[in-house]
Each structure stands twice: as C-alpha cells, then as structure tokens.
Amino acid sequence: MYVCSCFGITDKQVKDHAAAGACTPRQIASATKAGTDCGSCVRTIQGLLGRGACPRRELLEKGEAAAVLAADPAPRLVEAA
C-alpha cells in the first residue's frame, strides 16, 4: 500500500527503513522524502513506526547517541538493482 503518494513510498519501504534503524518520521523523510511535500502521510508513518523499541532512542536515554548520530545521522537502505 502506498503511504506517500507524492513520492510513491510504500508501507514496506517505511517498515524496511524502520528495521534499519529509522525511529521517527523525520528519519523516514530524510531517507525517502516521504512527508516532506503535502505532509498528509506523516500520521500514517507515525502509526507504522509505533512506539516500539528504538535503538537510537535507547542510546539517547543513556547519553550515548552523539557517537551513533555522528557516525550515521540518517540510516539509508540501498535498494537492489
């Protein structure tokens, strides 16, 4: 199912980026542009991301995020050709 019709982003793509470490709609937008045009998909993206465990959020709570974010500010998936 398409989540973002502006950029043709599917729920599977959002879930794949979430599995790769994206925890927020902003991180999904950074990786896919979803949510950066009309914005109508942001709530759907939030719903797909849920409130589950987020490795980056857990690191933030421990104060270790600076090193992680400096190394990889926005996870990106490389799509197979």
Side-chain angles (χ1 to χ4, degrees):
M1 157 183 87
Y2 282 99
V3 172
C4 176
S5 52
C6 295
F7 295 103
I9 305 302
T10 65
D11 59 333
K12 182 183 180 326
Q13 289 171 298
V14 171
K15 290 174 185 177
D16 289 346
H17 284 286
C23 300
T24 65
R26 184 170 293 198
Q27 290 172 334
I28 296 295
S30 179
T32 67
K33 293 188 180 180
T36 62
D37 194 24
C38 77
S40 66
C41 61
V42 174
R43 290 201 184 248
T44 303
I45 292 169
Q46 288 173 329
L48 289 170
L49 294 174
R51 295 188 177 245
C54 177
R56 290 174 186 245
R57 192 174 303 126
E58 291 168 8
L59 290 174
L60 278 171
E61 290 169 0
K62 292 180 183 177
E64 300 174 13
V68 171
L69 293 175
D72 184 15
R76 302 201 193 292
L77 292 178
V78 177
E79 296 194 22

